[in-house]
Amino acid sequence: ALESTTIKLHKLTALVPVTDELLEDAPALGSYVQRKAADVIDFKVTDAIVNGSGAGIPLGILNAACTVQQAKESSQVAATIHGLNLAKWRPSAVWLAHPDVEPELMKAGLQVGPAAAGSATGGALIFMPPGGISGAPYASLFGRPIVPCQACAALGTAGDLIFAAMPQYAAVLKAGGLRSDTSIHLWFDQGVTAFRFTFRMGGQPWWSAAISAKNGSTTYGPFVKLETR
């Protein structure tokens, strides 16, 4: 079955006032402002892709109807990552993880024996550190890369660790990318030059909803988050 969808471009703007004296004393400041504005816009776009509500900004992964939530283990200690939380996810994409989650991943292992879910797991570790410049640039979990992402939620809350098949997220950009403009007229009486940066994009997952398996109880989706612990 085919369904139609519309992705609307949203405008993100950064306005930076710089005094004329500062521009005279630091000739390279204009290129610095442009570089830093691009960094800030990059973060805002990333945050929208992860957390966006879809109202005036892109629809983010955590608010999409196709995102599947993985239940925690019974008796699991709060704000922890357990090996069994992750063994139930299909390892075919990348992991988006808040930096505070990484120490938990380093000690995550598969449970051996009847120990409670919140205790030491034992067994083989499932985390692999990065191999440096000559090897893998990212740490891995079940063989898939772990990408640190400040847009992810705090440790222990839904969204601190996300399993994401990013090709299943549709991002539409305005041709030309980041647009920059400069004006001396906006604050002319104050001797201030205005730098304006504009970026237009829209986005949402390709999937409109998660899919239930024909047989069994598994629910499939392009993104998986671990529920609050």
Side-chain angles (χ1 to χ4, degrees), residues 22-82:
L22 189 55
L23 288 174
E24 292 174 358
D25 297 341
L29 186 63
S31 60
Y32 173 80
V33 168
Q34 185 164 356
R35 185 173 69 254
K36 296 304 293 184
D39 291 342
V40 173
I41 288 175
D42 176 74
F43 175 80
K44 293 292 290 185
V45 169
T46 300
D47 185 65
I49 291 175
V50 175
N51 301 299
S53 64
I57 59 176
L59 176 62
I61 291 171
L62 295 182
N63 293 313
C66 61
T67 298
V68 178
Q69 179 164 280
Q70 172 63 44
K72 63 180 181 180
E73 300 301 311
S74 59
S75 303
Q76 182 172 347
V77 175
T80 60
I81 303 292
H82 194 280

Side-chain angles (χ1 to χ4, degrees), residues 143-166:
R144 303 308 305 165
I146 303 172
V147 181
C149 182
Q150 285 282 354
C152 290
L155 175 62
T157 55
D160 58 350
L161 181 64
I162 305 170
F163 174 79
M166 294 310 299

Side-chain angles (χ1 to χ4, degrees), residues 5-216:
T5 186
T6 301
I7 299 179
K8 181 179 179 180
L9 296 181
H10 306 289
K11 183 168 70 173
L12 176 62
T13 302
L15 185 64
V16 185
V18 180
T19 64
D20 294 343
E21 292 80 6
L22 189 55
L23 288 174
E24 292 174 358
D25 297 341
L29 186 63
S31 60
Y32 173 80
V33 168
Q34 185 164 356
R35 185 173 69 254
K36 296 304 293 184
D39 291 342
V40 173
I41 288 175
D42 176 74
F43 175 80
K44 293 292 290 185
V45 169
T46 300
D47 185 65
I49 291 175
V50 175
N51 301 299
S53 64
I57 59 176
L59 176 62
I61 291 171
L62 295 182
N63 293 313
C66 61
T67 298
V68 178
Q69 179 164 280
Q70 172 63 44
K72 63 180 181 180
E73 300 301 311
S74 59
S75 303
Q76 182 172 347
V77 175
T80 60
I81 303 292
H82 194 280
L84 294 181
N85 298 148
L86 312 175
K88 299 172 182 177
W89 299 8
R90 183 178 177 85
S92 61
V94 299
W95 304 90
L96 304 179
H98 190 282
D100 291 346
V101 172
E102 291 186 280
E104 284 293 315
L105 298 179
M106 292 179 185
K107 59 185 179 182
L110 295 177
Q111 183 173 315
V112 176
S119 65
T121 57
L125 292 176
I126 56 180
F127 173 88
M128 182 66 67
I133 296 177
S134 61
Y138 295 103
S140 63
L141 193 63
F142 283 110
R144 303 308 305 165
I146 303 172
V147 181
C149 182
Q150 285 282 354
C152 290
L155 175 62
T157 55
D160 58 350
L161 181 64
I162 305 170
F163 174 79
M166 294 310 299
Q168 298 304 315
Y169 189 91
V172 181
L173 310 180
K174 182 66 176 178
L178 180 63
R179 174 180 173 179
S180 61
D181 300 284
T182 305
S183 173
I184 64 171
H185 305 293
L186 180 59
W187 292 298
F188 180 78
D189 59 330
Q190 302 177 42
V192 172
T193 297
F195 291 84
R196 185 183 67 185
F197 304 91
T198 304
F199 186 72
R200 295 180 63 199
M201 73 156 293
Q204 65 185 44
W206 284 105
W207 296 35
S208 60
I211 299 175
S212 299
K214 176 182 178 181
N215 299 308

